[in-house]
Amino acid sequence: MFVVKNNRRVNAKRMLGLISLGIKEGYTINLIAGGSDEDKALETLIDFLEKLLND
């Protein structure tokens, strides 16, 4: 899974990569997932990012 912001793509499993994107509320990002469990993985990532932004 990957998170993309301004053409910069980072592995969603790497906390430092996610933090380095500087994602803030209102920013547009793209989430990329593949595989048989991609729906569950995206749901989990969205929940995590929402909690991260609310702290």
Side-chain angles (χ1 to χ4, degrees):
M1 284 196 352
F2 296 94
V3 177
V4 182
K5 178 185 161 228
N6 296 334
N7 295 320
R8 183 158 174 244
R9 183 172 98 164
V10 300
N11 186 327
K13 295 179 183 178
R14 306 285 185 216
M15 179 64 75
L16 187 57
L18 290 172
I19 292 169
S20 73
L21 288 177
I23 299 170
K24 298 189 189 262
E25 188 173 348
Y27 284 22
T28 299
I29 60 172
N30 294 304
L31 307 177
I32 302 170
S36 61
D37 63 343
E38 67 183 37
D39 290 336
K40 179 64 176 163
L42 283 173
E43 183 180 316
T44 301
L45 179 57
I46 290 167
D47 288 344
F48 171 77
L49 291 172
E50 286 175 342
K51 288 177 184 171
L52 184 69
L53 292 174
N54 290 324
D55 285 344

